[in-house]
Amino acid sequence: MIPEPYDDVYAEPERAVGFVVDEDRGSLPYRLVHGEALVAAAAWAMGEAGVDLVDVTVPWHVVADSGRALVLHDPLCPMTPPDFIASCVRTAAARDVVVVGVRPVTDTVKQVVDGRLGATIDRDGLAAICSPVVLPARVVAALDGRPVTDFVALVDQLRSSAGVALVEAPPSARRAETDEDLRVLEALTEPR
């Protein structure tokens, strides 16, 4: 029997459910990009991608028992295109793996040994996690509770128990961590 207050979570198992994860991100998710709060832009993208947003007050067991994939979208990646999110959901379902949007690392990364700079690390083996993180229904059902809100920690955790596929996200999916990053993102995604 479907619990009445949450019957919409159980509808259409082929559609994913999702959260816009604003916890532990400070006030930046409520800043504006193109006149909209980052959380609103992220929520809009999820809806356009065909993901049914779930309120964070819905008990975890309801989400886990729904038989649906779960999409976690970071509002600090507010301009992630809906078609990219939808593609990640399809890949997670088709391959039964966790799918993670990533961007190439462009900064120089150095090792630190005993407090001193060491060798330069080859960037080709690195990726910056952005958004989304899509968990197939099998992985969702196996979790003991809500996933952690730190996407890097979550992906590390999931690598030990599930297959993880890293998918290169478009430039507009880049993560904004400062007001300067937001200005760059806004210029990058300015309608022409």
Side-chain angles (χ1 to χ4, degrees), residues 41-150:
W44 173 85
M46 292 272 273
E48 288 296 305
V51 176
D52 295 328
L53 286 176
V54 176
D55 188 284
V56 295
T57 62
V58 172
W60 175 250
H61 72 87
V62 173
V63 175
D65 294 345
S66 72
R68 298 171 76 179
L70 176 65
V71 181
L72 303 172
H73 189 7
D74 191 333
L76 300 184
C77 304
M79 302 306 290
T80 302
D83 60 337
F84 178 71
I85 295 170
S87 171
C88 290
V89 171
R90 287 190 301 275
T91 300
R95 295 179 50 196
D96 194 31
V97 297
V98 174
V99 175
V100 182
V102 297
R103 293 287 310 136
V105 173
T106 57
D107 292 335
T108 299
V109 179
K110 296 282 216 174
Q111 289 180 334
V112 177
V113 180
D114 296 325
R116 295 177 187 248
L117 284 180
T120 300
I121 297 173
D122 183 8
R123 289 183 290 223
D124 290 339
L126 303 176
I129 293 175
C130 55
S131 200
V133 175
V134 183
L135 288 66
R138 168 188 61 82
V139 173
V140 174
L143 291 176
D144 291 331
R146 246 178 238 290
V148 297
T149 59
D150 178 330

